[in-house]
Amino acid sequence: MDTDKRPSSLWGKEDIRSRLLGFAGRMGLILVASVIMAVNIKSFVEAGGLFPGGFNGLTLLIQRSVQQYGHVTLPFSVINFLLNAVPAVISFRLIGKRFTVYSCVMIVLTSVLTDIIPSMPLTDDVLLICVFGGIINGFAISLCLLGRATSGGTDFIAVAVSERLNVDAWNYVLFGNAVMLGIAGLLFGWDKALYSIIFQFASTQIVRMLNPRYKRTTLFIISDRSEQIYEQIKDLTHHGATLFQGTGLYNGEPRSMIYSVIAGDEVKKIARQVRQIDPKAFINILKTDQVAGNFYQRPSIFDLAISIFAFDA
């Protein structure tokens, strides 16, 4: 996660300004995502008696169980902090410092805001709560992913297992959520557990729709420095490219055109590198609806996060 290892003395003014803007933008996205997620919990999730899954869902399960059977009200933040403590330490050591720190900021803000914001039920219709609550939750998750963070919990565990043991942790996370919903169904009624699945499904669909990682983009790049540009495409995205040789009809000079399909979230960095290599390059960016064949999908912690985030928020 910590890719920039240059000493601070080598950073120029542009580097410092760019890093400050990046930090401010990242923190802004996390803050907005935390507010939306906390408001969603206090309005839709609590009104419908839902269990979102993941550590937030487990926190609500513990909180409601103690309140109903022990007549003691525990704060959301304390339970959530305790549950996330060990996974956060593991993530800090095995995954990356920045990813863990920003994710912990998300955890702290969401937990504290959930305790501070008063309950505000908007409707008694459980189906409306599931659908619209899931949509709002998915939107908050998408903002958090844009800030390159997660809500912690099962994300920390899944990422660490996946990167260290080279196995797909999704099945284990899914099994854990199924067990939690089963316990919630036994304690609070199966209708709550089943409605929670609708909530999670709606949330997942919004995340997949809004996240640019699941969008494909076609690039046509006309430049005299095609080899250098292809090296950047290969190094930054691991995608291949095809080189076409042609003739510019305006002046009759030979020209080269690179054709490549990349992920939507890779377009900006490739376009920026192309401009640095050849300021006169012509770039045509097209939306791609479908790709058939061997399209490289880079391994990333955010693949796991996107897959399980809806169950963890």
Side-chain angles (χ1 to χ4, degrees):
M1 295 298 297
D2 303 323
T3 56
D4 195 346
K5 300 298 183 181
R6 292 178 299 170
S8 58
S9 59
L10 298 181
W11 293 342
K13 291 183 178 180
E14 291 299 324
D15 293 316
I16 296 174
R17 185 181 297 110
S18 141
R19 292 173 69 86
L20 288 176
L21 288 174
F23 171 77
R26 196 169 178 180
M27 287 300 299
L29 288 170
I30 292 174
L31 175 60
V32 174
S34 301
V35 172
I36 294 175
M37 197 168 290
V39 170
N40 194 44
I41 291 175
K42 299 300 286 189
S43 56
F44 288 100
V45 175
E46 285 192 354
L50 305 178
F51 297 93
F55 275 29
N56 281 354
L58 182 58
T59 300
L60 288 173
L61 178 60
I62 294 173
Q63 188 181 43
R64 292 175 188 173
S65 298
V66 172
Q67 186 173 9
Q68 179 165 327
Y69 297 101
H71 306 290
V72 177
T73 301
L74 297 177
F76 182 94
S77 55
V78 172
I79 304 173
N80 208 24
F81 292 161
L82 291 175
L83 290 176
N84 279 283
V86 174
V89 172
I90 295 174
S91 173
F92 188 85
R93 293 183 176 180
L94 300 183
I95 302 174
K97 297 178 181 178
R98 292 184 186 177
F99 167 74
T100 305
V101 169
Y102 282 108
S103 296
C104 286
V105 171
M106 178 72 185
I107 294 169
V108 171
L109 288 175
T110 303
S111 300
V112 172
L113 289 172
T114 300
D115 281 333
I116 293 176
I117 296 173
S119 181
M120 50 179 82
L122 301 179
T123 177
D124 295 328
D125 191 314
V126 182
L127 187 57
L128 288 177
I129 289 172
C130 292
V131 174
F132 286 96
I135 291 173
I136 295 172
N137 190 64
F139 178 69
I141 290 169
S142 299
L143 290 179
C144 187
L145 290 174
L146 286 175
R148 300 188 299 282
T150 72
S151 68
T154 50
D155 286 2
F156 288 153
I157 297 172
V159 171
V161 170
S162 178
E163 291 198 346
R164 291 292 168 172
L165 302 181
N166 195 27
V167 297
D168 186 1
W170 161 243
N171 290 331
Y172 300 102
V173 174
L174 183 61
F175 176 76
N177 281 295
V179 171
M180 191 202 67
L181 287 177
I183 295 173
L186 289 172
L187 295 177
F188 300 99
W190 289 107
D191 57 334
K192 303 299 183 184
L194 296 176
Y195 276 124
S196 296
I197 295 175
I198 298 176
F199 175 92
Q200 294 166 7
F201 176 79
S203 183
T204 303
Q205 296 308 306
I206 294 299
V207 173
R208 291 186 176 276
M209 181 179 69
L210 294 180
N211 196 277
R213 184 172 177 76
Y214 289 95
K215 299 176 182 177
R216 306 289 178 252
T217 303
T218 298
L219 297 180
F220 290 98
I221 306 172
I222 299 176
S223 171
D224 295 328
R225 301 178 182 179
S226 54
E227 292 297 330
Q228 292 176 264
I229 292 174
Y230 168 65
E231 289 299 321
Q232 290 297 317
I233 293 176
K234 181 180 67 174
D235 293 341
L236 294 177
T237 72
H238 299 287
H239 290 295
T242 302
L243 180 65
F244 294 91
Q245 299 292 347
T247 302
L249 297 179
Y250 180 75
N251 51 23
E253 296 181 356
R255 303 301 300 271
S256 299
M257 183 178 73
I258 299 173
Y259 164 84
S260 184
V261 181
I262 63 177
D265 61 344
E266 299 169 331
V267 174
K268 288 184 178 180
K269 63 182 178 182
I270 292 298
R272 184 166 54 248
Q273 291 299 318
V274 171
R275 288 300 180 199
Q276 291 180 358
I277 295 172
D278 184 4
K280 297 181 179 180
F282 180 83
I283 309 173
N284 187 14
I285 303 172
L286 302 176
K287 176 184 176 182
T288 302
D289 292 328
Q290 287 185 330
V291 174
N294 186 21
F295 182 83
Y296 174 79
Q297 183 71 42
R298 71 185 185 278
S300 168
I301 59 173
F302 298 109
D303 273 340
L304 279 168
I306 291 168
S307 298
I308 67 179
F309 212 157
F311 295 90
D312 198 41

